Amino acid sequence: MVKLTDVAAKAGCSVTTVSRVINNYGYISQKTRKKVHEAMKELNYQPNSVARSLQGKKTKLIGLIFPDVSNPFFGELVSKIEDRLFKHGYKTILCNAGNDKEKERTYLQMLMANQVDGIIAGAHNLGIEEYQRTGLPIVSFDRKLSDNIPIVSADNFKGGSLATQELYNHGARHIYFVGNPTLDGHPTQKRLLGYKETIEELKLTEHIHPVIFNETLALKEMAIRDLLENHKVDGIVASDDLTALLILNISHDLGIHIPEDLKIIGFDGSKVVRDFEPRLSTIVQPIPSIAQLLVKLLEKRIDNPTEELDNYTYYLPVELLKRESSGN
Amino acid sequence: MVKLTDVAAKAGCSVTTVSRVINNYGYISQKTRKKVHEAMKELNYQPNSVARSLQGKKTKLIGLIFPDVSNPFFGELVSKIEDRLFKHGYKTILCNAGNDKEKERTYLQMLMANQVDGIIAGAHNLGIEEYQRTGLPIVSFDRKLSDNIPIVSADNFKGGSLATQELYNHGARHIYFVGNPTLDGHPTQKRLLGYKETIEELKLTEHIHPVIFNETLALKEMAIRDLLENHKVDGIVASDDLTALLILNISHDLGIHIPEDLKIIGFDGSKVVRDFEPRLSTIVQPIPSIAQLLVKLLEKRIDNPTEELDNYTYYLPVELLKRESSGN
DNA sequence: TTAATACTGTTATTCGTTTGACATATAGAC
DNA sequence: GTCTATATGTCAAACGAATAACAGTATTAA
C-alpha cells in the first residue's frame, strides 16, 4: 500500500507539505502543489480512509437499513439512494434487515462500530430507543422512529383515497382493501385510512381483507382465492403492487375478467412493475424524489447536527397511473 | 463514544487485560473474563473498528459491484449475497455501477481506500488491469476478469440449449433468439451459443433478433414489435426474463396467442418473476447457490490469498421451469 | 535595509486499538 | 522451599494520516 511518506519522497518534499496539498490548508505554491499531485497520480495514491477516519475525519459511510432489495420497490429505492449518495461522495453500507429484529439490532451496533456518518432507515423492526441511542444522524423512510428523526413518506393517505375514488368512478361499488390490516405505524396503514375515509364519503361499506405482507406466497394466494370466490367484490385497492399482481393472476385463473368483473389498483409503482406489467393501474410513489429528499435531509443533519429542522414530516405527492386493470 | 479505557476502568483492570479478553490471547481467568464482559455490556461497548483496521486487523468489509439492484435478478442476487456475508461476519458496501465505466473505476479506488477485505464483482465495464491492480481478493460473477480471478456462473450454455429444445418439443420450428447479440464475454453470449448449437442439432435455421439490454424501453419495444409483425416466428428464447415479459405483453397487444401462436421462454427466474408472472416459462439460475459459492470462494481467498484454487470456473446447474408460455 | 509575507521543513502529538516485552503476584505441584 | 503455570499489570511502539507549533528560508514591498 502506497502511503503518504511515499508520496512525499517521490515529490521530494515533507509529509506536512503533502498533507497541506491534500487537505488544502496553509501556504502552498502552485509549483509544489503540482509536483505533489503528479506524485500522487504516478503512485496511484489514495489516502487511507481508515487512518483519516481515526483522525476524526468523516468516514463518508452511510448505513442503509431496508427490508430487502429483492423486493422491486426497495430495490429501486435503494438503487436511487445509493446513486445520490455516491454523487455526494458517500459510500453505502447495505443492510437488509428483513423482518429480523435481532439482525437489525446487530446492524445498528455494527454501523456504530464502523463510525458511519449517518443512517437511512427504512426497515421497521426496532423500537425508538435503539435508534436514538446511536447518537447518529438518522432519517427515516415511511415510519416514525422518534420526535427528532425526520420522516420522508409518499402521501399514502392520498394514495389510498385516490385509488378508492378511481374505482368508484369506474363503477365499482363493492370495493375491498386487500393487504395488511391496520398495523400500528406501518406505512400501509395510511393507505388503509385513505381508503376508509373515501369509502365513507362515498357512502359505501368498507371491507378489509387481510393479506399479510410477510406471509408465504401460498398463504397469500389462499387468502385472495377466498376473497374472490366467496365475496361480492368488484373493486380492490391493494396495499402494494405485488399483492395486486397476485390478485390479477388468480382472477385470471378463476375466469374473472379484469376490468369488466373486477377492477384493481395497486400501490408503489416501481419502474419494473410499471414497465413490465402495463395492465396494472397503480398509485406511484415518487421514488427518485424520495431518495433525493432522504439524502438531502441526512446530509443536512450530518453537516449541522444541532440545527433544528423546520419540518420533521415530509409527504411527497403520489400519482395515479391509470391502466387497464382499473377500467381505463 | 465508549472506548477501551472506559471498559478497563469499569471492570477495574488494565486495557491490556480487556484487549486480551476481546482478542482472546494470553492468560485470562474466568472471573476477569466475566467482569470484562459485564463491563462491556453495561457500557454498550463496541470496539472501534476503524482503529482495529488501522492496527492491521481485517475490516470485514466487502465491496459488491453490480449493475443495478433495481433489476429483480440483481436485487435478489445482492440480497442473497448480503445475507450470506452477514452470516460470515462481513459488511457489504454496495456499488451500483450501472454501465458507467468511470463510476466503476471510482468505486474500485474507493474500495481500496476503505481497505475492504475483498470484492465480489458482477458489473462488466472495466478491463482486466484495473481489477488486477487492486491486489485484493476478488471473485467474479458471470464474467472473466483475469486468469487468477475465479468466476461463478450459471450454466448459461445449457440454459440456452434447454430452452431451445423445449420450444422444439412443443412444436416450434421458427425459433428466434431475442436479446443481446454476441457481445464478447457478456454472459448472455453463452446463452446464445447454447441456442445456436441446439438449433444446428435440430437442423433448423438460426434467427437472432437483437434487443440490447441497456436500451430504453421504447427502443426495445420497437425492436420486438418489428419482430412479431414482420417475421415468421413461433418460438422465442429470450436472453432474460424482462425481455420475455416485454414480448409477452406486446404479443397480447397484437392479438398473438401464447402459447398457441407463439411460445416463449425467458432466462433468470428471479423469485419475483417466478411468483408474480406465473405464466412465464424460464431458465432458472440458482441464485442462492450462486451467492453461497461466491461468498465461499471469496472467503477462501481472503483467508488464504496465496493458495491456488483447484478450479477457476464454476458453472452452476440451471433448471427449466415449464409454464404456460412455452406450451405446458 | 527592514519588514512582512509566502513557502517549506522538523518534530511531536493525537485518534483507539493491538500487541510484544517485561515485571510481578498467586496458586498449586513436587 | 522451589519451580512452574497462570494471571494481571505497566509501558511503549505501531498502524497512517492530520495538524499544531515552531523554525527557517525565500521573495517581495516599502
Side-chain angles (χ1 to χ4, degrees):
Chain A
M1 228 338 95
V2 28
K3 59 178 83 163
L4 203 60
T5 49
D6 301 326
V7 177
K10 183 99 187 175
C13 62
S14 69
V15 288
T16 306
T17 302
V18 177
S19 182
R20 285 200 258 252
V21 170
I22 292 173
N23 297 289
N24 212 49
Y25 72 97
Y27 291 118
I28 282 290
S29 69
Q30 280 311 312
K31 219 183 74 193
T32 326
R33 174 166 281 137
K34 196 169 156 237
K35 250 188 352 190
V36 170
H37 276 131
E38 274 165 4
M40 291 202 293
K41 183 160 259 174
E42 260 188 82
L43 297 173
N44 193 28
Y45 171 75
Q46 282 283 115
N48 181 328
S49 60
V50 167
R52 305 191 86 191
S53 307
L54 191 55
Q55 247 302 313
K57 295 268 170 191
K58 301 227 169 298
T59 56
K60 289 285 172 181
L61 285 171
I62 302 292
L64 246 57
I65 306 186
F66 281 94
D68 187 0
V69 289
S70 70
N71 175 304
F73 175 75
F74 289 114
E76 188 178 336
L77 182 56
V78 165
S79 169
K80 296 293 180 216
I81 293 176
E82 192 272 349
D83 200 57
R84 286 214 79 78
L85 285 176
F86 177 79
K87 289 203 178 98
H88 290 233
Y90 290 101
K91 293 139 268 176
T92 299
I93 296 188
L94 178 64
C95 309
N96 279 149
N99 327 312
D100 190 337
K101 246 186 155 73
E102 215 31 69
K103 197 178 178 194
E104 188 168 351
R105 183 168 289 120
T106 311
Y107 267 135
L108 225 43
Q109 295 278 341
M110 178 274 274
L111 292 176
M112 288 173 67
N114 278 276
Q115 313 286 112
V116 297
D117 291 343
I119 294 177
I120 298 180
H124 309 299
N125 304 313
L126 262 59
I128 300 164
E129 333 77 43
E130 7 257 307
Y131 276 101
Q132 286 273 54
R133 259 208 311 223
T134 62
L136 287 169
I138 300 179
V139 302
S140 154
F141 171 65
D142 238 0
R143 169 164 283 202
K144 175 152 185 166
L145 290 178
S146 91
D147 281 337
N148 54 356
I149 294 178
I151 317 164
V152 175
S153 284
D155 191 342
N156 288 309
F157 183 90
K158 181 75 175 298
S161 174
L162 272 177
T164 312
Q165 183 68 52
E166 174 76 0
L167 292 171
Y168 182 87
N169 293 349
H170 283 276
R173 291 298 177 268
H174 302 90
I175 305 176
Y176 275 63
F177 181 90
V178 176
N180 276 318
T182 172
L183 285 169
D184 171 47
H186 194 98
T188 54
Q189 195 196 357
K190 290 245 168 100
R191 303 177 190 175
L192 175 53
L193 288 178
Y195 159 84
K196 279 186 165 184
E197 191 170 294
T198 309
I199 284 290
E200 195 171 334
E201 279 169 25
L202 296 171
K203 310 217 181 305
L204 299 178
T205 316
E206 74 173 47
H207 303 282
I208 298 166
H209 195 79
V211 173
I212 313 297
F213 191 68
N214 299 329
E215 272 306 342
T216 64
L217 188 63
L219 273 172
K220 286 186 186 176
E221 283 178 344
M222 265 184 53
I224 293 169
R225 207 170 275 271
D226 168 53
L227 168 65
L228 298 182
E229 287 179 335
N230 306 324
H231 297 74
K232 183 167 179 185
V233 46
D234 58 6
I236 292 181
V237 177
S239 66
D240 61 287
D241 284 341
L242 294 187
T243 303
L245 288 181
L246 233 41
I247 300 171
L248 232 50
N249 292 329
I250 294 173
S251 301
H252 181 258
D253 289 352
L254 296 176
I256 298 171
H257 293 266
I258 311 283
E260 296 81 5
D261 307 339
L262 176 62
K263 297 173 193 26
I264 303 177
I265 297 188
F267 211 114
D268 283 348
S270 67
K271 189 151 175 17
V272 171
V273 171
R274 263 158 40 221
D275 285 355
F276 298 97
E277 197 56 57
R279 298 171 302 154
L280 181 66
S281 297
T282 188
I283 302 294
V284 181
Q285 298 199 52
I287 300 182
S289 310
I290 292 172
Q292 188 170 349
L293 184 55
L294 283 168
V295 172
K296 189 177 135 195
L297 288 172
L298 184 61
E299 204 172 19
K300 205 170 192 175
R301 297 242 102 177
I302 292 172
D303 294 341
N304 209 330
T306 54
E307 184 193 351
E308 285 290 316
L309 298 173
D310 27 305
N311 196 349
Y312 283 86
T313 326
Y314 298 82
Y315 292 116
L316 267 39
V318 295
E319 204 178 303
L320 169 60
L321 181 63
K322 300 181 180 185
R323 299 277 190 75
E324 189 187 319
S325 78
S326 61
N328 290 277
Chain B
M1 229 337 95
V2 182
K3 60 178 82 163
L4 204 60
T5 50
D6 302 326
V7 177
K10 183 99 188 174
C13 64
S14 69
V15 288
T16 306
T17 301
V18 179
S19 183
R20 283 200 258 252
V21 171
I22 293 173
N23 298 290
N24 212 49
Y25 72 98
Y27 291 116
I28 283 290
S29 69
Q30 280 312 312
K31 216 182 76 195
T32 325
R33 173 167 283 136
K34 194 169 156 237
K35 247 188 354 193
V36 170
H37 276 130
E38 275 164 3
M40 292 201 293
K41 183 159 258 173
E42 260 188 81
L43 298 173
N44 194 27
Y45 170 76
Q46 281 285 114
N48 181 328
S49 62
V50 167
R52 306 191 84 188
S53 307
L54 189 56
Q55 250 301 315
K57 293 270 173 191
K58 301 230 170 296
T59 56
K60 289 288 175 179
L61 285 171
I62 302 291
L64 246 56
I65 306 186
F66 280 94
D68 187 2
V69 288
S70 69
N71 175 304
F73 175 75
F74 288 115
E76 187 178 337
L77 182 56
V78 165
S79 168
K80 296 293 180 214
I81 293 176
E82 192 273 347
D83 200 56
R84 285 213 81 77
L85 285 176
F86 177 79
K87 290 205 178 96
H88 289 233
Y90 290 101
K91 293 139 267 176
T92 299
I93 297 188
L94 178 64
C95 309
N96 279 149
N99 326 312
D100 190 338
K101 247 187 155 72
E102 216 31 68
K103 195 176 180 197
E104 188 168 350
R105 184 169 288 118
T106 311
Y107 267 134
L108 225 42
Q109 294 278 341
M110 178 274 274
L111 291 175
M112 289 172 67
N114 278 276
Q115 313 287 109
V116 297
D117 291 343
I119 293 177
I120 298 180
H124 309 301
N125 304 312
L126 263 58
I128 301 164
E129 333 79 42
E130 6 256 309
Y131 276 102
Q132 286 273 52
R133 258 208 312 220
T134 61
L136 286 170
I138 299 179
V139 303
S140 155
F141 171 65
D142 238 1
R143 169 165 281 202
K144 177 154 183 164
L145 290 178
S146 92
D147 280 338
N148 53 357
I149 294 178
I151 317 165
V152 174
S153 287
D155 192 342
N156 288 306
F157 183 91
K158 181 75 176 297
S161 174
L162 272 177
T164 312
Q165 183 69 52
E166 173 76 0
L167 293 172
Y168 182 88
N169 293 349
H170 284 275
R173 290 299 176 267
H174 301 91
I175 304 177
Y176 276 62
F177 181 90
V178 176
N180 276 317
T182 172
L183 285 170
D184 171 48
H186 194 97
T188 55
Q189 195 196 0
K190 291 245 168 100
R191 303 177 190 175
L192 175 54
L193 288 177
Y195 159 83
K196 280 185 165 185
E197 191 170 294
T198 308
I199 284 288
E200 195 171 333
E201 280 171 22
L202 296 170
K203 308 220 183 303
L204 298 178
T205 316
E206 73 173 48
H207 303 281
I208 298 166
H209 196 79
V211 173
I212 313 297
F213 191 67
N214 298 329
E215 272 307 342
T216 63
L217 189 63
L219 273 172
K220 287 186 185 176
E221 282 179 344
M222 264 184 54
I224 292 168
R225 207 170 276 272
D226 167 54
L227 167 65
L228 297 181
E229 288 179 335
N230 306 322
H231 297 73
K232 184 168 179 187
V233 47
D234 59 6
I236 292 180
V237 177
S239 66
D240 60 287
D241 284 340
L242 295 186
T243 303
L245 287 181
L246 234 41
I247 299 172
L248 232 50
N249 292 329
I250 295 173
S251 301
H252 181 259
D253 290 352
L254 296 176
I256 298 170
H257 294 265
I258 310 282
E260 297 81 5
D261 308 338
L262 175 64
K263 297 172 192 29
I264 303 177
I265 298 187
F267 211 114
D268 283 348
S270 66
K271 190 152 174 18
V272 172
V273 170
R274 264 158 38 221
D275 284 355
F276 298 97
E277 195 56 58
R279 297 172 304 154
L280 181 67
S281 296
T282 188
I283 303 294
V284 181
Q285 298 199 51
I287 299 182
S289 310
I290 293 172
Q292 188 172 349
L293 184 54
L294 283 169
V295 172
K296 188 177 135 195
L297 288 172
L298 184 62
E299 203 171 20
K300 206 171 191 174
R301 297 243 102 177
I302 291 173
D303 294 340
N304 209 330
T306 54
E307 184 192 351
E308 286 289 316
L309 298 172
D310 27 306
N311 196 350
Y312 284 86
T313 325
Y314 299 81
Y315 292 117
L316 268 38
V318 296
E319 205 178 302
L320 169 60
L321 181 62
K322 300 181 181 186
R323 299 278 189 75
E324 189 187 320
S325 77
S326 62
N328 289 277

